[in-house]
Structure formats: structure tokens, C-alpha cells
Amino acid sequence: MTREKANKTLVNALRAKGQTAIGKAAKLLLSAHRSRTPAVTGDVVLTTEKEAYRVQDAVFAELWPGARAAAWKAGGPSDKVEPAAAPIAPENLLHSPASVAGAKMHMIGVEAEVAFRLAKDLPARTRPYPERSIAAAVGEVLVAIELCDTRLANWKKTSGLWKLADFQNNGALVLGSGTKDWQKIDFLQQEVEFRIGARVVKAKGAHSFGNPFRLLPWLTLHCATRGLGLRAGDIVTTGSWTGLEIARAGDVVTARFPGIGAAILRIL
């Protein structure tokens, strides 16, 4: 066998292995969603972000056939690394004041975030949109509380790719009040007060990307690579300002961003 043929055989074998892993991962997550029993990933290994995103697409299509994402979560630990994204289904987009049943969740995580609502369409295209065009498409910025849950049995030790496949641990997104004068906000000086029951967490200028708007050009292009555009009314939430906080039944969770707005979530 020539080296060229051997390399081609290896590539085909790796592709087949990747396809098998994608299918198995999707089945495990679908079962976890439907049975509310966390998935044991076992020896199913995801090796690339592309595979994780394909699992997202497969699970979303099965759980919400014919639906499109009403919102997207985008974010990352810093602007030094590639962000990550996950679609949020219409049924998981809630409005403040909202209530959720904590007993149905495996992890009751909450994060204080700001989200952008589009006022104009940004259809998918191969050429990146100029930042000014994306800014012009934004109608307002809103305060949001992301509710984080997991469909993974050992989520603390499971790989980051598995968490990405699991919609980046998204359980729901609660939208609060906001402002249309978002371009006047100095995000580097923006304050937040996050109350989880009796606990209070405060921060200032704490977004990992400095200005969370910086995630929108990336997300617009990312969606285009998946054959998806963004539409007027779509929401893009941009990651936590205070880190992941764990809530419990009975807690009232309130996120306040002075000058922007607030959101309230009650854990039943």
C-alpha cells in the first residue's frame, strides 16, 4: 500500500469513527432530555468542536422538529480563545419575572448576563458583516439570567466538548428589562448586582470580553458556517459577569445592571 493510499484509508477511518461518535452522543443526550436521567458518556469520545456542534444540531432537530433557535448563547473565558455557541429553543426563552421547578433539574446554575435583541435580519453569508452593520441591526440590550442545567451524569469531569454538545449547559434564558440606548453604555465600567436567595455578588466591568458586543460578529459568522442566519427578534446572550452560581429551591434570583435593567427568576 502506498503512503498516499494509507493516509486516505486513515482519514476515512477517522471520519467513520467521528460519525459514529456523533450519532452515539446525540442518542445519549436525546435519551437524557426525554427521560430526565443524566447520560453516562462512557467510551464515547468527541474529538473536535465541529463534532460537538453537529451533535447540537442533531439533538435540536429531534427535540424541536421544524423549529429554529429563538436565541443563542455565545461566550468564552477570554478574548484570547475561540468563543463557543449554542442554540436556545423557543420554549426555553422565558420572560421576567419567571419561575422554574428546581426539582426537575440536575444542576440549578444561574448566571447574570446581558443579551442583545436584533431589530434587523442578518442573513447567512460567507463574507463577514462589518461591525457597523451588526451594530445597526441591534435594537436593544437586555438583562438576562441564564439558567444552567446538565444532561451529563458526571458533568464536572466530563470533557468541554461534551458540555458544548450539551448546549453549553443551557437550561433556559430569562429575559428582563433593557435599553435601546445600548451604544452609550460603557461596559468596561458597567456594574452588576446578582442576588441568589440571601447571597449577593457584585462586580464592575467584569465581562470576559470587556465589551460583550464583540461576540456578535463572531456569532454571526459562526451561524453562517452552520447555514443559519439571524433574524429580527433573535436574542444573543453573551456570558456571565460573576461566574456560575448555584441556586436552590426557594431562592429568588435577581440580576440588576444599573442603567440597563433587571431580571427576576424564582426557583420553586
Side-chain angles (χ1 to χ4, degrees), residues 32-67:
H33 275 277
R34 289 166 173 163
S35 68
R36 297 191 179 279
T37 300
V40 178
T41 59
D43 60 353
V44 180
V45 179
L46 298 174
T47 58
T48 66
E49 289 186 351
K50 184 177 181 179
E51 290 180 359
Y53 287 128
R54 289 190 63 185
V55 174
Q56 282 186 8
D57 290 341
V59 173
F60 193 99
E62 285 288 333
L63 291 177
W64 300 287

Side-chain angles (χ1 to χ4, degrees), residues 238-251:
T238 54
S240 176
W241 284 61
T242 64
L244 176 70
E245 299 287 339
I246 302 300
R248 58 185 180 182
D251 282 347

